[in-house]
Every structure is written in C-alpha cells, then in structure tokens.
C-alpha cells in the first residue's frame, strides 16, 4: 500500500509540475466511423506532440477532413487527394500538409486523407463523396511504398469493393450498439489506444502506447528526454528509445530482387484494387485518376536501410530500395494508370532533413518538396491546369 501511494503521489506530482505535456503525447485522432470504418474525428483541434520530432496543431472540419471548415465545398470541386498519414500530415500543421502546399501552385485541393488510412478506407471515402453528389476535377491517391501495399484479396477488400455503403443518415447515428460485457471492455480499451490491426491488442507496442496515454511518469521518461538532444541520442543508441532506422515500414521482402510468390501476389492484388478505384472514378465522375508513390525514409536515406539490414543480419546484395516503386510503376503503366514516384526528387535532396528524426513521416520540408513535384505533374500528366494568378 505504501508503494502504491508513493507511485500515485509521484504520478500526480509529474502530471502537475514536471511534465504537464504528457496529455498531448498521444492524442485520440481516429474514431470509429459508420461509413469509413475508422476516420479522423470531426471538428478536432488537438495538439500533436512527439519530442523531438514535432509540436503541431491538428484541426479537422465537420466531416473529419483535415481541410477548411469554411469553403470545403469549393475544395471538393477541385482535386481530391487521398492517402494515409503522410497525406494527412502527421507531424505538420494544417498549412504545411501536402494538399495545402499544392494549393500554393494555384489548385484547390480537398485533403480527404486520414492518419493510418488504408486503400480500402480511401475507396470508401471516394464512394461516399460521389454518393453525396460532389464532383472533382481529378482524383489522386498517394501510396507510401511499400508500407501501404496490401494484399487486397487476402484482406477481403477486393471482394467487398461493391458492397453497399451504409445509408447517408447513418453518419449521424452511433457506430454500433454495445451490448455485451466483452463489447464494453473492447471499446473501453480501444478508447485508450486505437487497435487498428489484427494481433496488436496485446503487443509490446500496444502496451507502450497505453502507458503513454495513461502515465505521466512513463511519458516523462520516454519523451521528456527529447528536450535534451545529447541525452536523447545516448538513450536511442543504447536501445532505450526506439530507433526508427531499425523499424521498417511495410514488408521488407518487397525490396528483394528475387520477389517471393507471396509478395508477387501482394503487388498484383494491390494493382487490381487500384484498377477498381480507377474504373469507379472514370465511370462515376469521368475525371482523371492518378497515383503518387511516396517513399519511406529508408528509401530517401539509404544509410538507414543499411543499418536496418545490418541490425537484422540480412545480405545487402539481395535488396534494391527502388524496387517497390518501380514494380508499382510498371504495373500501373500496364493498366494505363498515370503514376508519379517521389523517390527521385526526395533522394536528390537527402542532404536536407526531409523526414522527422525518429518518426519517418515527411516533415514540412519533405511535404514542400513533394508538392513542388506533384503540382507540375497534375498539369502535364493529368491535364488539369492551375488557376491563373
């Protein structure tokens, strides 16, 4: 009892006086959604804080999109830009996102991405907006390779592509009735940290995420040291803080020169899903559809990939960092889907910091370089001219 009291007293002291920022370490951005399954909560205005990476404000409109609260209908009449966390803008402010940066070139862009979104959710968002009567000039989906390359058949997404969406008024209804004790426990746990992938509920990562949400002591020890760069680097080098160089996005096998049959199927089935999205856009909207391939930090900074391979005892000669993007480009070209690979322009500037120090997402400068490359491609390849100044 004395020990419990001392820990509780220490927790209270750190919450109030030492590290009050602990509340902002892991803000709840996603929530269950009746149409999109899970999506950004509407009307958000929360601080996203991850020292020493970023300290920004995340704001969403009434539909849960990270875009204008007034004038969003005009954006929806421009370009639709869908994707996951890099498009949503994890770690950057609203005016620093890829969509906001593209607008500086004379386009109106609706940022319809969500943090942690997958192509199935992006397709649902597109289908929902079509059903609601919105009509864009073009639809662009950004895919982080290889992290967002999924076997859409194995996951059942391709087979369920045409499944009816819930009725329009379901958006205003509760997501589900929670009847059983098991349901109540699951939703209570999920409110502490979203569990978005099978098998993560009781992982070490999930446990750490819950500690960040619930303990100022843990948060101060884990993140407070980020304010002291020398101490942060020392702890990271010794493995006390996770090193993002050693954790790869997606399947490492997708970088293999000799691609395993399982990964061949993964790439092929991702392509089949994108064809369905393209056909939907062309049949229902009659506008151009294109894909932007966003590289991972390991593709932009090859030395990080070398560290990953060495850490895991893998042979560097078996791998090629360009292969996931090249394979996607070749497949999309065969299907007649225009694509743009951002790896080359980002790699050419890798003497700059384009991703966060220990996070992997594009930082404001990385978002800017992406927009500088995407804007002329929209005009030259998709045929959509920017508004004249």
């Amino acid at each position: 009892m004395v020990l419990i009291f001392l820990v509780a007293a220490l927790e209270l002291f750190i919450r109030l006086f030492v590290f009050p920022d602990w509340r902002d370490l892991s803000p709840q951005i996603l929530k269950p959604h009746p149409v999109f399954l899970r999506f950004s909560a509407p009307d958000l205005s929360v601080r996203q804080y991850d020292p020493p990476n970023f300290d920004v404000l995340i704001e969403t409109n009434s539909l849960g999109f990270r875009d204008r609260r007034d004038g969003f209908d005009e954006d929806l009449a421009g370009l639709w830009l869908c994707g996951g966390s890099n498009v949503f803008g994890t770690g950057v402010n609203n005016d620093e996102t890829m969509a906001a940066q593209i607008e500086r070139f004379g386009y109106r862009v609706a940022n319809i991405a969500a943090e942690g979104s997958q192509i199935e959710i992006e397709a649902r968002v597109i289908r929902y907006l079509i059903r609601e009567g919105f009509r864009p000039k073009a639809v662009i989906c950004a895919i982080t390779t290889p992290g967002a390359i999924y076997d859409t058949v194995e996951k059942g997404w391709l087979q369920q592509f045409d499944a009816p969406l819930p009725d329009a008024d379901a958006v205003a209804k509760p997501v589900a009735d929670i009847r059983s004790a098991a349901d109540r426990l699951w939703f209570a746990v999920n409110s502490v940290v979203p569990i978005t992938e099978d098998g993560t509920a009781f992982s070490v990562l999930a446990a750490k995420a819950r500690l960040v949400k619930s303990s100022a002591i843990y948060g101060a020890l884990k993140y407070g040291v980020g304010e002291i760069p020398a101490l942060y680097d020392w702890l990271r080098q010794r493995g006390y803080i996770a090193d993002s160089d050693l954790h790869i996005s997606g399947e490492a096998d997708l970088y293999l020169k000799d691609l395993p049959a399982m990964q061949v199927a993964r790439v092929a089935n991702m392509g089949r899903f994108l064809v369905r999205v393209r056909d939907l856009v062309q049949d229902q909207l009659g506008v151009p559809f294109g894909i932007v391939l966003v590289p991972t930090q390991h593709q932009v900074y090859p030395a990080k990939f070398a560290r990953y391979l060495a850490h895991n005892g893998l042979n560097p000669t078996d791998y090629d960092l360009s292969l996931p993007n090249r394979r996607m480009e070749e497949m999309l070209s065969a299907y007649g889907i225009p694509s743009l690979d951002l790896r080359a322009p980002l790699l050419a500037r890798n003497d700059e910091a384009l991703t966060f120090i220990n996070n992997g997402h594009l930082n404001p400068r990385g978002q800017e370089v992406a927009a500088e490359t995407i804007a002329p491609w929209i005009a030259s390849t998709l045929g959509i001219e920017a508004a004249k100044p």
Side-chain angles (χ1 to χ4, degrees), residues 205-222:
L205 182 61
K208 288 182 176 181
R210 293 189 182 102
L211 281 172
V212 167
K213 291 285 289 184
S214 59
S215 172
I217 296 173
Y218 180 82
L221 292 173
K222 180 176 175 61

Side-chain angles (χ1 to χ4, degrees), residues 236-254:
R236 186 175 61 165
Q237 290 167 9
R238 282 155 181 78
Y240 298 115
I241 292 178
D243 188 338
S244 66
D245 291 3
L246 307 181
H247 299 276
I248 205 160
S249 173
E251 297 282 340
D253 285 356
L254 287 167

Side-chain angles (χ1 to χ4, degrees), residues 66 81 84-102 104-105 111 142 294 342 346 353-356 360-375:
R66 197 173 183 197
L81 183 62
S85 53
N86 269 317
V87 180
F88 175 79
T90 295
V92 304
N93 290 298
N94 277 36
D95 61 354
E96 297 170 324
T97 64
M98 201 178 297
Q101 304 260 21
I102 293 172
R104 293 170 185 166
F105 291 87
N111 184 354
V294 183
L342 294 180
L346 289 166
L354 303 173
T355 62
F356 292 108
H361 290 97
L362 293 175
N363 64 17
R365 177 56 180 151
Q367 297 274 352
E368 183 180 22
V369 172
E372 290 171 354
T373 308
I374 294 170

Side-chain angles (χ1 to χ4, degrees), residues 28-30 40-46 58-61 69 88:
Q28 189 77 353
I29 293 175
L30 296 175
S40 310
D43 297 314
L44 277 179
S45 184
V46 299
I58 302 292
E59 297 178 296
T60 62
N61 60 25
R69 292 178 174 175
F88 175 79

Side-chain angles (χ1 to χ4, degrees), residues 23 161 250 366:
R23 296 178 179 84
F161 188 91

Side-chain angles (χ1 to χ4, degrees), residues 10-313:
L10 179 61
E11 174 73 21
L12 182 61
F13 177 76
I14 292 177
R15 288 187 182 199
L16 293 176
F17 304 109
V18 178
F19 193 53
D21 292 328
W22 74 276
R23 296 178 179 84
D24 302 307
L25 290 174
S26 186
Q28 189 77 353
I29 293 175
L30 296 175
K31 65 178 296 184
H33 192 285
V35 179
F36 309 151
L37 305 180
R38 65 180 185 277
F39 208 70
S40 310
D43 297 314
L44 277 179
S45 184
V46 299
R47 182 189 186 197
Q48 192 175 56
Y49 179 52
D50 183 14
N53 293 287
F54 48 73
D55 185 357
V56 297
L57 184 65
I58 302 292
E59 297 178 296
T60 62
N61 60 25
S62 60
L63 293 177
F65 295 113
R66 197 173 183 197
D67 207 301
R68 293 177 178 85
R69 292 178 174 175
D70 297 317
F72 185 54
D73 284 1
E74 294 179 46
D75 290 341
L76 288 172
L79 306 173
W80 293 357
L81 183 62
C82 67
S85 53
N86 269 317
V87 180
F88 175 79
T90 295
V92 304
N93 290 298
N94 277 36
D95 61 354
E96 297 170 324
T97 64
M98 201 178 297
Q101 304 260 21
I102 293 172
E103 288 201 334
R104 293 170 185 166
F105 291 87
Y107 293 99
R108 289 298 291 263
V109 183
N111 184 354
I112 60 173
E115 198 168 64
S117 185
Q118 301 166 338
I119 191 63
E120 178 205 21
I121 294 174
E122 293 155 32
R124 283 174 167 266
V125 172
I126 292 169
R127 292 176 62 198
Y128 171 76
L129 292 174
I130 291 174
R131 189 180 71 183
E132 294 303 294
F134 295 105
R135 296 294 180 266
K137 293 179 179 178
V139 176
I140 302 167
C141 286
I143 297 171
T144 299
T145 55
I149 299 177
Y150 301 101
D151 189 329
T152 58
V153 171
E154 182 182 73
K155 287 183 171 291
W157 298 346
L158 189 63
Q159 301 91 312
Q160 300 167 12
F161 188 91
D162 294 319
L165 297 177
D167 294 336
D169 64 352
V171 175
K173 294 179 179 178
V175 176
D177 293 329
I178 303 176
R179 297 184 179 89
S180 69
D183 285 338
R184 286 194 292 272
L185 176 61
W186 178 259
F187 275 82
V189 170
N190 202 44
S191 69
V192 177
V193 56
I195 298 167
T196 57
E197 298 291 342
D198 293 339
T200 62
F202 303 104
S203 66
V204 173
L205 182 61
K208 288 182 176 181
R210 293 189 182 102
L211 281 172
V212 167
K213 291 285 289 184
S214 59
S215 172
I217 296 173
Y218 180 82
L221 292 173
K222 180 176 175 61
Y223 291 102
V225 297
E227 304 295 341
I228 309 172
L231 179 58
Y232 180 87
D233 291 338
W234 184 84
L235 289 170
R236 186 175 61 165
Q237 290 167 9
R238 282 155 181 78
Y240 298 115
I241 292 178
D243 188 338
S244 66
D245 291 3
L246 307 181
H247 299 276
I248 205 160
S249 173
E251 297 282 340
D253 285 356
L254 287 167
Y255 293 108
L256 283 169
K257 296 174 183 177
D258 185 11
L259 197 63
M262 180 184 299
Q263 304 303 352
V264 171
R266 177 187 292 263
V267 174
N269 290 334
M270 182 72 179
R272 292 170 63 191
F273 194 95
L274 293 174
V275 168
R276 296 296 302 274
V277 179
R278 187 273 311 274
D279 292 345
L280 170 72
V281 169
Q282 291 189 344
D283 294 345
Q284 299 291 321
L285 299 171
V287 301
F289 173 76
I291 298 293
V292 171
L293 302 174
V294 183
T296 65
Q297 66 163 347
H298 290 84
Q299 291 175 294
V300 177
Y301 300 100
K304 294 178 180 289
F305 190 63
R307 283 194 67 208
Y308 169 82
L309 295 177
H311 179 74
N312 290 281

